[in-house]
Amino acid sequence: MTIKEAQEAVDRWIKEYGVRYFSELTNMACLTEEVGELARIMARRYGDQSFKEGESHDPSEEMADILWVLICLANQTGVDLTEALQKSFEKKTKRDKDRHRNNPKLKA
Ligand SMILES: [Mg+2]
């Protein structure tokens, strides 16, 4: 599935099952909530926290939740995520093409 296809699929799902998009501010809060859920799993899996009984150990579900809400926000604010990601690659390449290679902290 391409990013464009994902944006179209989420839009179709919202129209068929979601009635309408939540407001942009509600979705922003939902995005923050989902990032927090991913942070909880990462802190337990890779950090010093331990899992509580019954908690999910799988970050993929939260990553998908984050992507879903981000796509909702893109759709309702008119952002083409394919184009935006391409621009981000260009920006990072121009800005950082030598920066990380020259960072001694990144060398083993
Ligand atoms: Mg979630």
Side-chain angles (χ1 to χ4, degrees):
M1 180 184 281
T2 66
I3 296 171
K4 180 178 170 46
E5 288 167 345
Q7 285 194 250
E8 291 166 351
V10 167
D11 194 59
R12 279 194 305 275
W13 191 95
I14 293 291
K15 286 171 179 158
E16 186 170 352
Y17 302 108
V19 182
R20 66 168 176 80
Y21 285 92
F22 294 137
S23 72
E24 293 84 349
L25 281 177
T26 298
N27 272 337
M28 189 64 230
C30 291
L31 178 61
T32 305
E33 180 184 340
E34 297 300 346
V35 169
E37 290 173 3
L38 177 61
R40 187 193 62 233
I41 291 172
M42 298 301 281
R44 284 152 172 63
R45 188 163 169 174
Y46 300 101
D48 301 322
Q49 287 271 0
S50 59
F51 284 98
K52 294 174 190 164
E53 199 175 313
E55 270 186 335
S56 170
H57 293 214
D58 182 7
S60 69
E61 184 181 334
E62 301 311 333
M63 289 181 189
D65 288 347
I66 290 166
L67 188 56
W68 178 278
V69 183
L70 185 65
I71 288 171
C72 286
L73 281 167
N75 285 352
Q76 63 196 138
T77 58
V79 171
D80 177 335
L81 284 173
T82 305
E83 190 182 309
L85 185 61
Q86 187 60 45
K87 283 182 184 169
S88 182
F89 267 104
E90 289 164 13
K91 177 185 75 180
K92 287 173 173 57
T93 302
K94 188 175 176 186
R95 186 187 63 198
D96 301 332
K97 70 182 173 57
D98 295 321
R99 181 171 156 236
H100 300 308
R101 282 190 209 145
N102 295 333
N103 179 357
K105 295 176 190 173
L106 295 178
K107 295 183 177 148

